[in-house]
Amino acid sequence: MSKREKSLNALEGPVTEVAAEFPERHVLVKCPGCRRVIDADKLEANLEVCPRCGRHLRVSGRKRMKMTVDPGTFEEWDADLAATDFLEFPGYPQKLEAAREKSHENDAVVCGRGKIGGHDCVFFFMDADFMMGSMGSVVGEKVTRAFERALELALPVVGFTVSGGARMQEGTTSLMQMAKISAAVRRHGEAGLPYLCVLTDPTTGGVTASFAMEGDVTLAEPGALVGFAGPRVIEQTTHKRLPAGFQRSEFLLEHGFCDLIVERKDLRATLVELLALHEGAAPGADAPHALSHEEPRGKRGNRPKRTPVPQSAYDIVKLTRSTERATALELIERGLDGFVELHGDRLFADDPAIVAGIGWKGDEVLTVIAIERGNSTKERVRRNFGMAHPEGYRKALRLMRQAEKFGRPVLCLVDTSGAYCGIGAEERGQGEAIASNLVAMSGLKVPIVSVIVGEGGSGGALGLAVADRVYMLKSAAYSVVSPEGCASIIWKDAKRADEAAEALRITASDLARLGLVDGVIDDLGLTHTEIAHDLMREAEGALATLGSVPADELVARRYDKFRKMGEDRICSRS
C-alpha cells in the first residue's frame, strides 16, 4: 500500500472514492462532526463550516478578524504584550513557547480598532490555538485596555469569545481578570456605548462568568459549547450523564442566555445591522432582518374581515379570542420595515409568549415588545396562548432597560387573557416580575406607547401598559378580570358573563370615556395589513410628539397621568 493510500485510509473514506473526489495536490481535513473528509480549499471558502453537516469548526483569532473587519481597516493594539512565568509554575515556560509556536501569537487574544460595514469599532478576538484561549493576565489586560480605549474614543465594542477558562498557571491573578474586565465593561456601558458579544466554541469557565455574558446583545454560533463548568467536570461532580445538546448554543437560547444563534455566513451582516440600530439608524433594505412586506402567513388577512359589528361588550370579548384576528406578531411583520427579535431574560428561560426586539419603520428605530398568542393550535400551545411566565416579563424589562440606555422609544402590543397562573410561575415570582415592570415603566426615561390589540387581561396586560400613550383597537377589551371570572366570583354563575362584560365597562369606547385609555383605533372591517399600518401611523405620531419632551418631564407627566386615574371618582363621607 502506498503512502497516499495509507493516508486516505486514515481519513476513514474509501480510497477510490476519496481519490476521485480530491486531486493529489489538495489538502484534506476531517470534519469533527460528521467525520467526513473535506477539501481544505472548499472548507476555507465556506468560512471553515462543514458543507456536509454544517459543523462550525474553530478558527484562529486572526482568521476571525479577517472574516469580520473591513479589509485594510484593522489597527492592532498591544500586540507585543506577552505572558511571563511570574509564579514559576512547573512547565509553564514550555507551554507558553509551544503555544506561541503553534499560534504565531504572543497570547490568546487579538485586540484593535477597525471598521465593519463602515462602522468604526473596537474589536477583540480570542484564540483557541493559544492554550485553548485560556485567560491569563495578558488576556485580561488587553481586553480591559480595549474597553478603556473604546470608552475614550466613544466607540462600540465587538468581541468574539473562545476559552477553556482561567489560566491555572497564573493562579489567582488569572481569577482577578474576571473582575478587572467586568469593571471596564460596566464603565463602557454606563457611557451609553454598545457591546456586542459573539460566543464561539468553546466558551467556558471564567470568560463565561464575566465578559462573555455582559454584552448588550449576545450572539452565538450554532452548536457552540458555552458554560461555566465544563461537561466533564459536571459529570464527575454529579455522577450523571449529561443530556444531548447540554450547554450548546441551542440550550443557551432556550434557557434565556443569548439573543440569537447566527450562522457564520450571516454573522458579519447581523453585526452591521445591530451596530446601525444601536446608533439609532435604520439598516438598509438588504439587512438580514428587513421585512419584505409580503403577507407573512399565507393568504389569511388579505381579505376584509367579514365579522359583523359587535352588538355587546361580550361580543367584543369573543372577538378578541377569534383565531381570525391579527396576532401581535403579524402586526409587527406587516407594520414595520424590519425587526430583530432578541431572546431571553438572562435568568431562566426565553418565554415564547412575549416577543421582544429592535424594530424600525422608515428612519425611526424603536424597541418593540409584544404578547403573542399564535394563530395555529400548535403555535398557540407553544406560546402558552399568550399567557406569559415571569421570564417573559423579565425579558420585556431587560429590553426596556436596554431601550433606555440607547435612547430608543418603546412600543408595546398587548394581547393576553392574563399572566400564566401555574405552580412554576408562582415559584419563579410571577407577581414580583409584573410588579418590577410597573415600577420600571413608571420611571423609564424614554417614550412608551402601548396598544391593546386584543384581550387586555388584568395585571398580565398592565405589565406592558404603563405608558405615556395607551391606545386600544376598537375590537379589543381591557379588564381587571375576565367576564367569566367576574360572573363566577360575584354571582357564582359563569353563564352570566355577558352581564359581567357590560357591568365592567371593558370596551375601548367605555375606557376612553373613563379616561383610562388615550385613543381608539378603528379596526373593524379592515385587513390585517390595514390594521397594522393604521396602528403604526398612530404610534409613530405619538412617539414623534413624545420624543421632543425632556426625559424628566416625560416621567413626571406619566406619573401625573396614572395618578389621576380614579381620583375624581372618590367621594368623602363625614
Side-chain angles (χ1 to χ4, degrees):
M1 184 180 288
S2 70
K3 184 177 181 181
R4 172 165 176 74
E5 287 173 331
K6 290 178 181 178
S7 173
L8 290 171
N9 278 343
L11 291 169
E12 298 183 359
V15 175
T16 53
E17 292 180 14
V18 175
E21 184 175 355
F22 301 114
E24 179 79 31
R25 64 182 180 279
H26 283 197
V27 176
L28 307 178
V29 177
K30 185 193 289 185
C31 172
C34 63
R35 314 297 294 174
R36 298 292 297 275
V37 232
I38 314 161
D39 181 276
D41 291 340
K42 289 182 180 179
L43 186 62
E44 184 174 10
N46 204 40
L47 302 178
E48 307 294 331
V49 176
C50 177
R52 289 193 172 97
C53 71
R55 174 72 172 257
H56 283 55
L57 279 64
R58 296 169 187 170
V59 297
S60 70
R62 200 161 295 276
K63 183 175 284 189
R64 179 79 68 174
M65 180 269 290
K66 292 176 181 177
M67 291 178 180
T68 307
V69 183
D70 294 350
T73 67
F74 189 68
E75 171 196 345
E76 187 170 356
W77 295 340
D78 303 312
D80 58 334
L81 293 187
T84 61
D85 181 25
F86 56 86
L87 292 184
E88 298 182 353
F89 196 96
Y92 188 34
Q94 293 78 14
K95 282 188 174 290
L96 285 174
E97 187 58 36
R100 286 168 187 150
E101 185 176 339
K102 177 184 177 182
S103 66
H104 308 290
E105 303 288 352
N106 278 330
D107 217 298
V109 69
V110 175
C111 300
R113 176 181 181 175
K115 293 180 185 293
I116 175 171
H119 297 275
D120 202 3
C121 297
V122 170
F123 296 91
F124 68 82
F125 304 92
M126 298 191 73
D127 193 338
D129 288 345
F130 194 104
M131 294 184 67
M132 204 50 236
S134 59
M135 180 171 61
S137 54
V138 168
V139 170
E141 184 65 20
K142 289 179 75 169
V143 175
T144 299
R145 289 188 189 184
F147 275 98
E148 289 173 343
R149 292 184 72 174
L151 176 58
E152 291 170 9
L153 297 166
L155 293 176
V157 173
V158 175
F160 288 77
T161 63
V162 55
S163 179
R167 192 171 299 173
M168 293 177 290
Q169 293 90 341
E170 296 188 17
T172 307
T173 302
S174 177
L175 180 69
M176 293 304 140
Q177 304 313 301
M178 296 165 61
K180 182 166 87 175
I181 299 173
S182 297
V185 172
R186 176 191 60 79
R187 293 174 74 234
H188 179 263
E190 286 178 351
L193 297 169
Y195 166 35
L196 309 182
C197 185
V198 182
L199 309 174
T200 74
D201 183 53
T203 296
T204 61
V207 170
T208 299
S210 57
F211 60 94
M213 288 291 157
E214 293 166 352
D216 294 297
V217 177
T218 303
L219 311 179
E221 288 192 329
L225 174 69
V226 182
F228 176 54
R232 188 167 53 219
V233 173
I234 295 173
E235 287 187 335
Q236 289 174 349
T237 302
T238 63
H239 304 292
K240 293 180 180 178
R241 191 165 182 80
L242 299 178
F246 183 74
Q247 291 185 310
R248 297 290 170 178
S249 300
E250 296 73 16
F251 172 92
L252 220 65
L253 186 71
E254 180 185 349
H255 287 82
F257 294 104
C258 75
D259 288 289
L260 289 170
I261 296 174
V262 185
E263 292 188 19
R264 193 170 291 166
K265 64 182 176 60
D266 300 321
L267 257 178
R268 181 182 149 83
T270 301
L271 289 169
V272 171
E273 178 183 61
L274 288 168
L275 287 167
L277 291 170
H278 281 82
E279 292 170 3
D286 59 345
H289 294 89
L291 296 167
S292 65
H293 289 297
E294 296 177 359
E295 294 299 335
R297 297 182 187 273
K299 295 182 178 179
R300 217 192 71 177
N302 287 335
R303 59 189 185 277
K305 296 172 74 68
R306 300 298 183 187
T307 51
V309 175
Q311 299 300 308
S312 68
Y314 196 54
D315 284 344
I316 288 178
V317 172
K318 289 186 282 188
L319 198 54
T320 67
R321 299 168 181 171
S322 168
T323 57
E324 291 298 312
R325 73 179 297 115
T327 69
L329 188 54
E330 285 179 302
L331 295 173
I332 290 171
E333 291 171 336
R334 301 176 191 214
L336 294 177
D337 294 335
F339 179 66
V340 184
E341 185 178 354
L342 304 178
H343 296 267
D345 66 344
R346 298 297 182 271
L347 294 170
F348 180 77
D350 179 56
D351 185 357
I354 289 188
V355 173
I358 309 172
W360 66 95
K361 176 75 172 176
D363 295 328
E364 181 76 19
V365 178
L366 62 161
T367 290
V368 183
I369 302 167
I371 304 179
E372 171 65 14
R373 289 175 181 263
N375 48 25
S376 67
T377 301
K378 183 178 180 180
E379 186 70 3
R380 287 192 166 204
V381 169
R382 187 176 80 84
R383 296 189 185 275
N384 203 33
F385 297 87
M387 295 182 289
H389 291 77
E391 43 274 22
Y393 291 102
R394 289 172 180 139
K395 172 169 62 173
L397 180 58
R398 180 175 76 87
L399 268 292
M400 286 188 275
R401 291 296 191 200
Q402 188 185 98
E404 184 177 51
K405 174 178 177 178
F406 297 109
R408 286 194 297 267
V410 177
L411 173 64
C412 296
L413 305 182
V414 179
D415 182 12
T416 181
S417 59
Y420 181 60
C421 299
I423 294 172
E426 291 298 321
E427 288 175 338
R428 298 191 300 278
Q430 184 71 284
E432 186 279 336
I434 295 171
S436 294
N437 278 23
L438 303 186
V439 171
M441 292 184 83
S442 72
L444 209 67
K445 294 186 176 181
V446 291
I448 314 170
V449 170
S450 292
V451 185
I452 312 300
V453 298
E455 197 171 6
S458 194
L462 185 62
L464 291 182
V466 180
D468 302 295
R469 298 284 187 276
V470 179
Y471 298 105
M472 288 181 67
L473 296 187
K474 196 169 184 177
S475 67
Y478 193 8
S479 178
V480 66
V481 65
S482 71
E484 296 86 354
C486 177
S488 295
I489 294 167
I490 300 296
W491 299 308
K492 307 295 188 291
D493 184 1
K495 293 180 180 179
R496 297 177 65 180
D498 55 342
E499 294 178 56
E502 292 292 343
L504 286 166
R505 301 290 189 267
I506 61 179
T507 68
S509 55
D510 285 335
L511 295 172
R513 281 194 296 271
L514 289 168
L516 302 180
V517 299
D518 300 292
V520 179
I521 302 169
D522 191 352
D523 62 315
L524 294 174
L526 301 182
T527 67
H528 295 174
T529 299
E530 289 167 340
I531 296 168
H533 290 170
D534 287 354
L535 186 157
M536 283 306 305
R537 185 164 52 248
E538 197 75 42
E540 283 181 290
L543 291 173
T545 301
L546 295 166
S548 62
V549 181
D552 290 343
E553 185 179 344
L554 190 73
V555 172
R557 288 186 188 181
R558 198 181 302 145
Y559 177 82
D560 291 340
K561 169 189 171 74
F562 285 90
R563 174 67 180 82
K564 292 173 183 174
M565 291 183 180
E567 182 182 33
D568 59 350
R569 292 167 177 81
I570 298 172
C571 65
S572 298
R573 301 182 66 181
S574 56

